[in-house]
Amino acid sequence: ARREKPLRARSTAAIREVYRLTGGAVPIIGVGGVDSAEAAYEKIRAGASLVEVYTGMVFRGPCILEDMHVGLRFLLERDGFSCIQDAVGADFRPL
């Protein structure tokens, strides 16, 4: 098993905490273990307004970008969002 899974969970928890503490007033860059659209979306919903995909580029190469584009569009549509900005911090909003 690759090591990015523990890193992903810890970094997403840190994003959630910073978003909570700042009320979303500060742009957050989500980093750590982003190797799929699902991983990026997790960080976006936690409060990241930008996502760095170093892990994905290392392990999957540039093809990850198209996969992430398609995957993020699917996830946004599934959850009723029209754009990524609408999903930023969504885990903190009441349903």
Side-chain angles (χ1 to χ4, degrees):
R2 296 192 308 240
R3 296 178 51 105
E4 72 266 10
K5 300 298 182 197
L7 174 61
R8 177 174 153 187
R10 285 193 307 262
S11 67
T12 302
I15 292 165
R16 281 192 184 97
E17 183 65 7
V18 171
Y19 188 87
R20 184 187 68 77
L21 290 171
T22 65
V26 176
I28 301 167
I29 301 172
V31 301
V34 180
D35 61 357
S36 66
E38 292 79 10
Y41 193 57
E42 178 182 283
K43 293 190 184 311
I44 292 164
R45 289 189 59 104
S49 51
L50 298 168
V51 179
E52 180 266 343
V53 294
Y54 181 79
T55 299
M57 290 290 285
V58 167
F59 289 106
R60 296 189 48 210
C63 69
I64 189 174
L65 300 177
E66 183 177 351
D67 293 346
M68 288 185 73
H69 174 80
V70 171
L72 283 169
R73 287 183 61 96
F74 169 80
L75 294 165
L76 290 166
E77 185 176 310
R78 179 197 71 190
D79 292 347
F81 299 117
S82 59
C83 65
I84 287 176
Q85 188 59 43
D86 293 343
V88 173
D91 289 348
F92 289 91
R93 294 184 213 130
L95 297 174

